[in-house]
Amino acid sequence: MHSRVIIIGSGPAAHTAAVYLSRAELSPTLYEGSFANGIAAGGQLTTTTDVENYPGFPDGIGGYELMEKMKAQSIRFGTTILAETISKVDFRARPFKLWVEDAEDKEPVTADAVILATGASARRLGLPGEDKYWNNGISACAVCDGAVPIFRNRPLVVIGGGDSAAEEAMFLAKYGSHVTVLVRRDQLRASKTMAKRLLAHPKVTVRFGAAAVECAGEPQERGLLQSLKVKDLRTGDVTDMPANGLFYAVGHDPATLLVKEQLDCDADGYIVTRPGTSYTSVEGVFAAGDVQDKRYRQAVTSAGSGCIAALEAEKYLAELEDVPVANGVEADTEVKKPTSAEAPEYRSNPLL
């Protein structure tokens, strides 16, 4: 089966790209995956209860419901959505080849362009009680969840010692009664400026050499987190700490195992895109959403990057139609790396 453009992913970036490409009459095929990377179709938003910072929903909306609406919009405009996982790709020549999981020995599906929107997963610590209180007091996104009522004027805890942990702690200080940052080491990994601001904040306490070992709270179903057991790593003592909110700031893992041998990725595994664009190191392959965004990781920024990827894929496909052909075969199907001289309209755009 051949598609002009294939989208791999199922979150806001993937569906925004699908809507734009469908409306451009490019008939995209979207592979949403079957629990790809251990997450249900719809991505990380499906594990979020209330989304209050996505425009257009003044009363908030459930994460799962939001993704169902995006999926319905993609289908409405003509996107073909397949609940299959792409497990292997070959980007060395066009058309690109992609294989479905458990069918790697069969003929691949092909595409003239591919948009990667496979996302990233927040790292968890696997603490006792973590699964029970996830989204009921435990979160991996302070910006997403910090303002919800269950955290207001309550004691909150952040785990991590880098810039992200410092930023999240100071953000949460706007809402919680006090924020405690648990750092396993005896110093912060954050930049000197960020560490100085954090340590000087009147509503933040940093506990060095400390680690959470258990989450506890209300016993009923959908009960809320109420406390943590915290271990002093120097003495071995374990004490109870009141905590109505626990926020992980220990990093994310981008879903790039599928492509990291064929595309340029950074030291943390994120796909490298040319600044201000969705262009990857392979011409005709585009990346959008959290798989290439280690900084913002918001649903709305993912949707915006999905729009960018769709517009750039549409432009790329239009240019392909101008490639000279001989005897019905393109003169050159070898994929080349794009040069920095391309897309000058994006390089100076301060919004991208």
Side-chain angles (χ1 to χ4, degrees):
M1 182 178 72
H2 180 78
S3 302
R4 297 209 64 196
V5 57
I6 282 177
I7 303 166
I8 306 176
S10 60
H15 283 294
T16 301
V19 168
Y20 273 77
L21 291 167
S22 295
R23 284 172 53 82
E25 299 185 350
L26 289 172
S27 304
T29 300
L30 186 152
Y31 285 85
E32 65 178 9
S34 177
F35 277 91
N37 306 305
I39 299 177
Q44 290 192 91
L45 275 183
T46 60
T47 68
T48 301
T49 49
D50 296 315
V51 179
E52 296 185 324
N53 57 0
Y54 198 88
F57 300 95
D59 298 321
I61 185 172
Y64 180 82
E65 182 184 0
L66 177 60
M67 291 317 307
E68 285 296 295
K69 287 181 178 293
M70 290 189 186
K71 181 176 181 178
Q73 191 172 5
S74 296
I75 293 172
R76 175 195 169 196
F77 289 113
T79 301
T80 298
I81 297 180
L82 301 176
E84 297 176 309
T85 300
I86 297 295
S87 61
K88 179 183 175 183
V89 299
D90 185 349
F91 293 151
R92 292 173 296 180
R94 194 175 57 243
F96 302 122
K97 299 175 182 177
L98 305 92
W99 286 264
V100 173
E101 191 173 52
D102 298 326
E104 290 87 354
D105 57 342
K106 298 181 180 178
E107 284 297 308
V109 296
T110 58
D112 296 317
V114 174
I115 293 178
L116 299 165
T118 48
S121 303
R123 293 174 189 160
R124 297 194 184 189
L125 299 178
L127 302 177
E130 179 182 283
D131 289 340
K132 176 174 175 57
Y133 297 108
W134 192 263
N135 286 328
N136 291 297
I138 304 179
S139 168
C141 182
V143 174
C144 310
D145 302 327
V148 302
I150 63 171
F151 300 130
R152 289 183 178 270
N153 301 311
R154 299 297 209 298
L156 307 177
V157 175
V158 173
I159 296 179
D163 281 342
S164 294
E167 289 176 0
E168 297 213 350
M170 289 185 284
F171 176 84
L172 291 168
K174 301 175 184 178
Y175 307 104
S177 59
H178 194 81
V179 179
T180 301
V181 181
L182 302 180
V183 183
R184 294 184 63 89
R185 302 196 300 182
D186 58 1
Q187 62 182 0
L188 293 166
R189 291 184 293 104
S191 64
K192 290 184 179 180
T193 299
M194 191 65 71
K196 184 177 180 180
R197 289 175 56 196
L198 181 68
L199 293 170
H201 200 291
K203 291 182 65 178
V204 176
T205 298
V206 179
R207 285 187 57 179
F208 294 103
V213 294
E214 186 177 345
C215 309
E218 298 172 345
Q220 70 268 29
E221 185 178 357
R222 305 286 297 173
L224 299 177
L225 178 75
Q226 291 181 319
S227 65
L228 297 175
K229 289 188 180 297
V230 178
K231 183 177 182 179
D232 186 315
L233 299 178
R234 291 163 290 199
T235 66
D237 294 339
V238 177
T239 57
D240 289 322
M241 171 187 289
N244 294 102
L246 172 61
F247 294 83
Y248 289 170
V250 293
H252 288 70
D253 294 315
T256 52
L257 183 63
L258 175 67
V259 299
K260 68 178 183 179
E261 299 299 327
Q262 299 189 52
L263 299 180
D264 289 347
C265 296
D266 68 13
D268 296 316
Y270 288 83
I271 295 174
V272 175
T273 52
R274 198 178 322 151
T277 78
S278 63
Y279 298 140
T280 69
S281 57
V282 172
E283 188 177 26
V285 178
F286 307 86
D290 289 5
V291 75
Q292 53 84 52
D293 173 20
K294 63 168 67 176
R295 181 174 182 181
Y296 298 108
R297 295 191 295 264
Q298 300 297 303
V300 69
T301 54
S302 290
S305 68
C307 169
I308 291 172
L311 294 175
E312 291 175 340
E314 181 183 357
K315 179 175 181 288
Y316 169 76
L317 291 171
E319 291 173 346
L320 275 187
E321 295 179 353
D322 297 330
V323 175
V325 298
N327 300 321
V329 179
E330 290 183 7
D332 182 9
T333 59
E334 180 182 357
V335 175
K336 300 176 181 178
K337 288 192 175 184
T339 66
S340 59
E342 295 171 354
E345 67 271 26
Y346 292 104
R347 291 203 303 274
S348 61
N349 189 336
L351 299 178
L352 295 173

